[in-house]
Amino acid sequence: MSDFWSWWIIVVVVINVGGFYLLLQWTRKVKVKSSSKGTTGHVYDGIEEYNNPLPRWWLNMFYITFVFAIGYFILYPGLGKFEGVLKWTQENQLEGEVEQASKIYQPLFDKYLNVPIAELAKNKQATEMGKRIFVNTCFGCHGSDARGNPGYPDLTDNDWLWGGKAENIELSIIKGRTGQMPAFGESLKAHEIDELVNYVGKLSGNDVDATKAAAGKLLFDVNCFVCHGQDGKGNIDVGAPNLTDSVWLHSASRSGIAETIRNGRMNQMPPHAEILGKARVHLVAAYVYSLSNQ
């Protein structure tokens, strides 16, 4: 923050606090010529307005707020660059609360750290802990029930882009994943994309144009087999999906498949090693593993 804006904020705060105090003093009692009955002389519908001071308790409450405001601006940041006597920041408070919570909860997580995931997936208490961590951390993409959303995989079935073994799941959570399919819109003509759509549809058992599917197979063998395999069953080493089943990360419609081929896809799961820590990653991996290994 520049010195100009720092002083701007300071001046605005001081004027507001001081101005409200002066306004309160000025309005404590109206300066008018009172009648012998103590009224201001204002009459409406037969009702006379008395010139009485504000209730003392009500006035004292205002004074307390002024004292509080001054104390607050001395102790905490609020006057431009002035950090306050306590040097408080929201980052420091967060770090302190996280550290305090870790002292309480970390031992509960650590006691499961050396238990194999496949074994831990059968422990109800551990999977419930993993589920709560999952719901707080992963629901935005995978949903609170872990059944995914368009573009985000369902974690409750046995279809895995990067492998469904315990070590694969834990590695995905720790390091994250980046899946990318290149766009073929510029290298393939419109009718070739249509032929590929028919062949991919045939792989998953859909009704297609047999002639176009046959031509699409030739294109697939040239352009797609490196990632998806000659048989179209995918490759977990590169996160290429199996095209022979009915599970689709993106749209399974003809137009959706065509869009994928034409424009490509880019999916990324961020790494969670620093966000969750090793022990909580282990619990989440056990929960996710349990969903497809009941």
Side-chain angles (χ1 to χ4, degrees):
M1 182 186 296
S2 67
D3 289 337
F4 171 79
W5 288 113
S6 177
W7 279 105
W8 176 275
I9 293 172
I10 291 172
V11 170
V12 169
V13 170
V14 171
I15 288 177
N16 273 275
V17 174
F20 279 121
Y21 178 80
L22 294 176
L23 179 64
L24 183 63
Q25 295 301 310
W26 180 62
T27 57
R28 287 178 62 186
K29 192 172 183 181
V30 181
K31 299 294 190 285
V32 296
K33 292 182 179 180
S34 301
S35 68
S36 59
K37 295 187 295 183
T39 61
T40 64
H42 298 157
V43 180
Y44 181 79
D45 199 20
I47 301 174
E48 294 182 289
E49 180 184 358
Y50 280 85
N51 187 21
N52 292 329
L54 297 173
R56 175 55 60 180
W57 67 267
W58 189 87
L59 194 61
N60 287 339
M61 289 293 291
F62 267 99
Y63 289 144
I64 291 172
T65 62
F66 288 127
V67 173
F68 174 84
I70 293 171
Y72 179 91
F73 287 122
I74 292 173
L75 296 175
Y76 294 96
L79 293 174
K81 289 184 176 181
F82 179 62
E83 297 179 348
V85 174
L86 298 180
K87 306 294 184 183
W88 177 92
T89 66
Q90 58 185 4
E91 291 83 5
N92 290 341
Q93 180 170 341
L94 175 61
E95 291 172 2
E97 291 178 358
V98 169
E99 182 179 355
Q100 185 178 4
S102 294
K103 292 179 181 178
I104 299 173
Y105 300 114
Q106 196 60 43
L108 301 177
F109 302 142
D110 289 342
K111 72 176 183 179
Y112 296 111
L113 187 55
N114 296 320
V115 181
I117 289 176
E119 180 182 341
L120 199 59
K122 300 175 184 178
N123 185 313
K124 183 173 177 59
Q125 184 181 30
T127 54
E128 283 297 316
M129 291 171 66
K131 179 180 180 180
R132 287 193 288 271
I133 298 170
F134 178 93
V135 170
N136 285 328
T137 309
C138 315
F139 80 98
C141 295
H142 296 285
S144 59
D145 59 357
R147 294 188 178 277
N149 288 298
Y152 303 97
D154 182 346
L155 304 178
T156 65
D157 56 23
N158 284 303
D159 192 86
W160 295 91
L161 291 173
W162 301 92
K165 294 182 179 179
E167 58 269 23
N168 298 133
I169 295 172
E170 188 166 38
L171 185 62
S172 294
I173 300 171
I174 291 173
K175 293 190 173 182
R177 298 292 188 180
T178 299
Q180 183 174 8
M181 173 176 167
F184 288 90
E186 294 185 2
S187 60
L188 296 178
K189 298 177 181 178
H191 75 275
E192 291 176 320
I193 291 178
D194 186 43
E195 291 166 352
L196 263 179
V197 169
N198 278 272
Y199 177 66
V200 172
K202 180 182 178 181
L203 288 176
S204 57
N206 296 335
D207 292 330
V208 297
D209 185 309
T211 303
K212 290 182 177 180
K217 184 181 187 311
L218 298 177
L219 293 167
F220 185 91
D221 291 343
V222 172
N223 297 281
C224 314
F225 81 96
V226 173
C227 294
H228 294 284
Q230 201 72 42
D231 56 2
K233 290 187 179 296
N235 184 347
I236 63 172
D237 292 330
V238 295
N242 181 1
L243 303 177
T244 65
D245 57 21
S246 58
V247 179
W248 293 85
L249 186 61
H250 300 282
S251 174
S253 66
R254 290 177 61 86
S255 60
I257 297 172
E259 181 184 353
T260 299
I261 297 172
R262 186 182 304 110
N263 300 321
R265 297 290 185 182
M266 178 70 179
N267 278 45
Q268 183 171 19
M269 172 179 167
H272 284 73
E274 293 186 7
I275 298 173
L276 296 177
K278 191 173 182 180
R280 284 187 288 177
V281 165
H282 199 64
L283 286 167
V284 173
Y287 167 67
V288 173
Y289 182 83
S290 73
L291 296 175
S292 56
N293 291 275
Q294 299 291 345

